[in-house]
Amino acid sequence: MPLVPPALDPDSLVPRTDSGYPEPFRSRVLPREKRALGDPLGLTKIGVNLTTLPPGKESSMRHFHTREDEFVFIVEGEVVLVTDEGEQLLGAGMCAGFAAGVRNGHYLVNRSDRPVRYLEISNRDREDTAEYSDVDLAFSKHADGRFVFTHKDGTPY
């Protein structure tokens, strides 16, 4: 029997397989799959993605958000969490959280030989920006919701 909202089978959604990152950063994260779970359920205050990250790929560049809290929950597989404190291995059932404005860059990297699946959950803040710890990259949002990536000095890619 098919599910109807407020229930949802994530496999029924077409995954997003692109990235807004400019090169040389895009190739570090792709291919990956993100299924936006909250959007089809009408959620407007939080974003929820079910992400599949293949072996050898990174979730993002190491970053922190200025106005959005971020939470990840590992559903399947294992992934390395990298922060200012170093590296930690996260397996299924483990989680990590990142408070808005805390200048501790983070990202996940799949060093295993299997895909990892995890939930990404964050509040949606139209004024959020992100700063990147290790690369010349900055992120902001336009009023229409589009993501904009620039160099740290503001020049476009």
Side-chain angles (χ1 to χ4, degrees), residues 137-157:
L137 187 66
F139 161 86
S140 61
K141 292 182 184 176
H142 272 278
D144 65 6
R146 286 184 302 122
F147 298 154
V148 178
F149 290 97
T150 64
H151 292 274
K152 288 182 178 179
D153 68 5
T155 59
Y157 269 93

Side-chain angles (χ1 to χ4, degrees), residues 60-64 70 81-83 98 104-108:
S60 62
M61 303 305 101
R62 199 162 75 92
H63 70 285
F64 66 90
E70 194 173 3
L81 167 65
V82 180
T83 64
F98 314 98
N104 186 350
H106 61 273
Y107 79 123
L108 304 173

Side-chain angles (χ1 to χ4, degrees), residues 45-60:
K45 305 250 187 288
I46 61 170
V48 182
N49 289 313
L50 177 60
T51 300
T52 302
L53 190 64
K57 294 300 177 176
E58 302 170 22
S59 62
S60 62

Side-chain angles (χ1 to χ4, degrees), residues 26-87:
R26 182 180 299 122
S27 58
R28 291 172 55 178
V29 301
L30 295 182
R32 68 173 178 203
E33 292 185 352
K34 289 182 179 275
R35 287 180 164 83
L37 304 183
D39 293 347
L41 297 174
L43 302 182
T44 59
K45 305 250 187 288
I46 61 170
V48 182
N49 289 313
L50 177 60
T51 300
T52 302
L53 190 64
K57 294 300 177 176
E58 302 170 22
S59 62
S60 62
M61 303 305 101
R62 199 162 75 92
H63 70 285
F64 66 90
H65 290 272
T66 58
R67 298 181 56 102
E68 289 187 1
D69 288 339
E70 194 173 3
F71 177 85
V72 295
F73 180 87
I74 310 306
V75 175
E76 179 182 329
E78 63 181 32
V79 69
V80 176
L81 167 65
V82 180
T83 64
D84 288 349
E85 290 75 34
E87 297 185 355

Side-chain angles (χ1 to χ4, degrees), residues 74-79 89-93 110 112 114-117:
I74 310 306
V75 175
E76 179 182 329
E78 63 181 32
V79 69
L89 185 63
L90 302 179
N110 185 351
S112 77
R114 299 179 336 181
V116 63
R117 287 172 38 115

